[in-house]
Amino acid sequence: MPNENESLRRLKEIYICERHFNCEWVSVKGGKRPKEPPSIFPGVPKSVLKQVTSAPRPTSSTSESRAKKVQAAYEAADKIQDFDHFSAKMSSYFPGFNFIKDQKNLYLSRTDATGQTVKQFFHFQQVSSPFGFLFLNRVEKDSIEVSKRLFPLQKNSLLSKWSQIGYITDQVNAYEYTSQEILEHAISQLCKMTEAHELAHFTFLLSQLCLIFKPDGRRFDTDTMIFAVQLHNISPSAYKIIRRSGLIILPSTEKVKQMLARSLHDSNLKTLFDQLKPQQRLVNLMFDEVKLVETLRFSGGHVLGYSQNTAAGGDHEMLASHAMVVEVACHFGGPRYILRVLPCKKLTSDQLKELLIEAGSAVVGAGGTVISLICDNCNTNRSVYSKLGGPGSCRVLSIQEQSMFLEYDYLHIFKNIRNNWITVDSKTLSFVVDGNEYKAYWSDIQKLYEIDRATPIRLTKLTHTAVFPKPLQRQSVPLVCQVFNDKTVAALKTFKGSLGISEGTIILTQTISEWFKIMIVKDRFSAIRLRDESRQPWTADCTSFTRLEEACQIISTCAWQGGGGRKLKLTKQTAEAFTVSTRNNVDAAKLLLADKD
């Protein structure tokens, strides 16, 4: 094939042997070209052919490889080879320090100009570990330990690099102590004064210093807890004032009560009763269940939340759903204490009986006298009273000569009477007074409310919630007090003719209202302050006992004795609880008044 450009232009057609080109051509702009031109010619040297790719030219080094070499050299120089290598080069990192090497330990210290006070102190220890060769045991500045959390240490405070040593020295030189660290150092020095530990004021001040910088999760020592219980026992109000002032760090009121709940068999309960007046040592034991959220909690190394009335770790271990709380209340007024808190699940009457006997025995052993047991009239409590020989007066504790009275809480009875009235068929109760039958209609209360709410000046305290309570609102005592009230009784008498109020409604409302006022007498001056003779304190010849007995006779005729649906009567349990509690309260009062004489 011609190799000159001019020769190619002169020729109209160019031919080439079919060994090099296929005979198939394609038309393109400007002429034709072979469809598949050859890229490799056989028998032609490669030197005359165009190279498709050029071979890379080798170089001696790159910036990346140089950086890796520098990094590797730095790491090799920064690595601490062994303990002897470390000890030999420490003088360059700690100039002006005194060195003491003792087998596998190296101590470094730097003193002030006088040489009497150690300004900085380091203790390194040799270890055998894949994570390093040195262990930083202790660092001090001005005789106060510096926390190792400030330093970039490996696992278990191990060291393996000289850069770590340099960082540690820089941190120690620039470190400033916090007030808490200075106080902790002072406390550690005070603890070394063993000869002063027998002084009560010294130990108290030392315990207060330990609690200053611990607002959360404080751990009070035994002496502080005993002092707190004694102070709370003398006056809960004074305890709250002192604690709120911040002059003395004391545990919370809840913490004190929790400790009292676990003080059945120690001297704390006796200490509490020793602080009471003789008349305040006559107490009532009140117990009731509190609903709990079934959950577990880990605190103080213990797992909390399991019921204590089942065997721990047994096959039937369950989460507590309730807490049985036993409270001590002074009969003649005074402080109240939480004596026992038992997390429980399906507490049986036998288990509750043992708990009450245990709590009562603890009170008597501490110097108190149990006058009565008080609870609501649920099925379990009634079964317990039956097993104890009640309800009523019975000998429960063998260590107490005096019998105690098993009673029901009059506040629950007060609510139950109103609830029985509004849940009975036709909302009507029937009872007998002096041989005559009367009926009390809840509709009379509703009619009185409807006419009273329309007047600009209200004659009663009735509200819509009190007259038409929802199931949850039926547990509210203040709502019941709006029905059984002197103003309600007076309004019923006023509108008796115009509204057609039944005489039985007036008698029942007045009877329950007077009964409640007599039962809740709290001090000697209630009758004078409230101008109500029903609130006179009980005496041996008072008329309150007669009026309470009349109320018991009326309620006893209103008890349902049949089976099936209840009609026109209170439940048997409510009527029995009313009469038993009222008469036992009277008997207990007469017994105490006779002992006083």
Side-chain angles (χ1 to χ4, degrees):
M1 184 177 66
N3 197 17
E4 297 179 1
N5 293 336
E6 296 297 332
S7 63
L8 291 176
R9 293 175 181 174
R10 289 196 301 269
L11 298 176
K12 295 181 179 180
E13 294 183 355
I14 299 176
Y15 300 94
I16 191 169
C17 66
E18 59 181 9
R19 180 180 177 185
H20 296 104
F21 279 95
N22 219 339
C23 293
E24 186 176 357
W25 295 74
V26 293
S27 298
V28 296
K29 185 178 180 180
K32 295 181 179 180
R33 66 176 180 84
K35 186 177 181 180
E36 296 180 357
S39 59
I40 299 177
F41 299 94
V44 178
K46 292 184 178 181
S47 59
V48 301
L49 298 177
K50 183 179 179 181
Q51 301 295 328
V52 179
T53 58
S54 60
R57 184 180 63 180
T59 57
S60 59
S61 64
T62 62
S63 60
E64 183 178 356
S65 63
R66 288 194 299 270
K68 289 182 178 180
K69 291 181 179 179
V70 172
Q71 180 66 23
Y74 174 77
E75 291 179 355
D78 191 41
K79 184 178 180 180
I80 300 176
Q81 298 177 2
D82 51 31
F83 188 68
D84 294 334
H85 175 238
F86 172 77
S87 303
K89 294 188 64 176
M90 284 302 294
S91 58
S92 61
Y93 286 90
F94 294 90
F97 277 77
N98 299 320
F99 298 86
I100 299 177
K101 184 178 179 182
D102 180 14
Q103 295 181 354
K104 294 185 178 181
N105 297 289
L106 181 63
Y107 303 94
L108 292 81
S109 61
R110 182 169 64 87
T111 60
D112 58 0
T114 62
Q116 302 296 326
T117 304
V118 178
K119 303 297 293 182
Q120 293 183 11
F121 173 81
F122 296 87
H123 175 201
F124 298 95
Q125 186 177 3
Q126 181 183 5
V127 294
S128 299
S129 172
F131 301 100
F133 299 98
L134 296 170
F135 175 77
L136 180 61
N137 196 1
R138 187 178 180 86
V139 179
E140 292 183 3
K141 182 178 181 180
D142 297 330
S143 301
I144 302 178
E145 183 177 4
V146 180
S147 176
K148 291 185 287 186
R149 291 176 296 180
L150 300 174
F151 311 135
L153 303 176
Q154 300 177 10
K155 184 178 180 181
N156 298 330
S157 301
L158 293 174
L159 296 169
S160 61
K161 299 178 180 180
W162 289 107
S163 57
Q164 294 175 310
I165 303 296
Y167 186 84
I168 290 174
T169 56
D170 294 339
Q171 289 290 322
V172 173
N173 293 330
Y175 184 71
E176 296 291 338
Y177 288 104
T178 63
S179 300
Q180 181 176 355
E181 291 173 331
I182 296 175
L183 178 60
E184 290 176 353
H185 176 69
I187 292 174
S188 64
Q189 297 299 317
L190 291 174
C191 291
K192 297 178 181 179
M193 300 172 59
T194 55
E195 66 279 1
H197 288 183
E198 298 180 358
L199 303 176
H201 60 276
F202 178 83
T203 56
F204 179 77
L205 292 176
L206 184 60
S207 63
Q208 290 292 300
L209 290 175
C210 295
L211 297 171
I212 289 179
F213 289 102
K214 295 181 180 180
D216 299 324
R218 285 171 172 162
R219 296 296 184 94
F220 295 91
D221 58 358
T222 304
D223 295 335
T224 303
M225 291 299 300
I226 293 176
F227 172 75
V229 172
Q230 293 174 343
L231 181 60
H232 187 274
N233 178 37
I234 296 173
S235 176
S237 299
Y239 184 87
K240 293 179 180 179
I241 293 174
I242 294 175
R243 186 176 184 274
R244 197 181 299 119
S245 67
L247 298 176
I248 300 178
I249 302 175
L250 296 172
S252 63
T253 306
E254 291 76 12
K255 185 74 174 179
V256 175
K257 291 182 178 180
Q258 290 176 4
M259 193 191 72
L260 292 176
R262 301 190 296 267
S263 62
L264 283 178
H265 300 292
D266 56 26
S267 60
N268 294 328
L269 188 60
K270 181 173 176 56
T271 303
L272 295 177
F273 274 93
D274 290 341
Q275 302 295 330
L276 297 177
K277 299 177 181 179
Q279 62 181 10
Q280 291 179 329
R281 297 173 188 172
L282 303 175
V283 299
N284 300 319
L285 290 184
M286 300 184 291
F287 59 97
D288 198 1
E289 275 191 338
V290 180
K291 179 67 177 177
L292 299 178
V293 178
E294 298 186 24
T295 184
L296 289 178
R297 182 168 62 92
F298 182 80
S299 176
H302 301 280
V303 177
L304 307 177
Y306 286 111
S307 60
Q308 296 183 9
N309 63 318
T310 56
D315 296 336
H316 302 287
E317 189 174 12
M318 296 179 292
L319 296 179
S321 59
H322 295 79
M324 178 57 66
V325 182
V326 181
E327 184 180 17
V328 178
C330 298
H331 188 81
F332 289 107
R336 305 164 71 102
Y337 307 108
I338 300 296
L339 180 62
R340 189 76 161 90
V341 178
L342 177 69
C344 57
K345 178 82 170 184
K346 299 179 180 179
L347 188 68
T348 64
S349 58
D350 291 330
Q351 293 171 340
L352 181 56
K353 174 185 174 183
E354 294 178 1
L355 174 64
L356 295 176
I357 293 177
E358 178 189 14
S361 301
V363 171
V364 176
T369 301
V370 181
I371 301 300
S372 61
L373 296 178
I374 302 175
C375 64
D376 57 20
N377 59 333
C378 67
N379 295 332
T380 303
N381 294 342
R382 291 200 304 270
S383 177
V384 171
Y385 276 5
S386 177
K387 293 180 179 181
L388 291 175
S393 177
C394 60
R395 182 78 178 273
V396 176
L397 303 176
S398 58
I399 61 176
Q400 178 174 292
E401 298 180 359
Q402 182 177 334
S403 299
M404 67 175 61
F405 296 88
L406 309 184
E407 306 172 2
Y408 299 107
D409 184 12
Y410 60 86
L411 291 176
H412 285 81
I413 300 172
F414 190 49
K415 294 185 295 184
N416 289 343
I417 292 176
R418 194 281 310 272
N419 295 338
N420 282 191
W421 193 0
I422 63 178
T423 56
V424 71
D425 291 344
S426 71
K427 297 184 179 181
T428 305
L429 294 177
S430 174
F431 55 91
V432 178
V433 179
D434 297 333
N436 299 320
E437 183 179 5
Y438 294 91
K439 291 184 178 181
Y441 300 94
W442 186 256
S443 58
D444 292 341
I445 304 295
Q446 294 175 341
K447 289 188 292 184
L448 177 62
Y449 166 70
E450 293 296 339
I451 192 174
D452 186 42
R453 70 170 185 168
T455 59
I457 300 178
R458 299 293 300 274
L459 299 178
T460 69
K461 295 183 178 180
L462 293 175
T463 60
H464 185 273
T465 306
V467 179
F468 304 96
K470 296 179 181 180
L472 188 60
Q473 295 169 341
R474 295 174 186 175
Q475 306 303 319
S476 174
V477 175
L479 294 180
V480 184
C481 292
Q482 296 177 15
V483 177
F484 299 112
N485 188 278
D486 290 341
K487 290 188 176 182
T488 304
V489 175
L492 289 172
K493 293 180 179 180
T494 302
F495 293 102
K496 177 181 179 180
S498 58
L499 297 180
I501 303 296
S502 171
E503 182 68 22
T505 304
I506 299 175
I507 294 176
L508 181 63
T509 305
Q510 184 173 4
T511 299
I512 301 303
S513 177
E514 291 183 353
W515 169 83
F516 187 69
K517 289 189 296 182
I518 295 173
M519 295 292 290
I520 64 170
V521 175
K522 295 183 179 180
D523 56 69
R524 296 176 295 173
F525 308 105
S526 297
I528 300 175
R529 186 175 64 256
L530 301 175
R531 299 179 182 180
D532 190 347
E533 294 182 357
S534 299
R535 301 180 184 270
Q536 289 284 355
W538 293 3
T539 59
D541 55 350
C542 67
T543 59
S544 298
F545 296 157
T546 304
R547 296 162 68 181
L548 290 176
E549 180 59 29
E550 293 175 354
C552 290
Q553 293 177 0
I554 293 175
I555 296 300
S556 62
T557 62
C558 192
W560 176 249
Q561 302 297 335
R566 177 170 54 92
K567 297 180 180 179
L568 304 178
K569 298 293 183 179
L570 299 171
T571 62
K572 180 180 179 181
Q573 294 80 8
T574 299
E576 180 183 359
F578 183 94
T579 55
V580 168
S581 297
T582 303
R583 287 168 177 166
N584 283 333
N585 267 283
V586 172
D587 293 342
K590 290 181 179 179
L591 178 63
L592 295 174
L593 291 171
D595 293 341
K596 184 179 179 180
D597 294 340

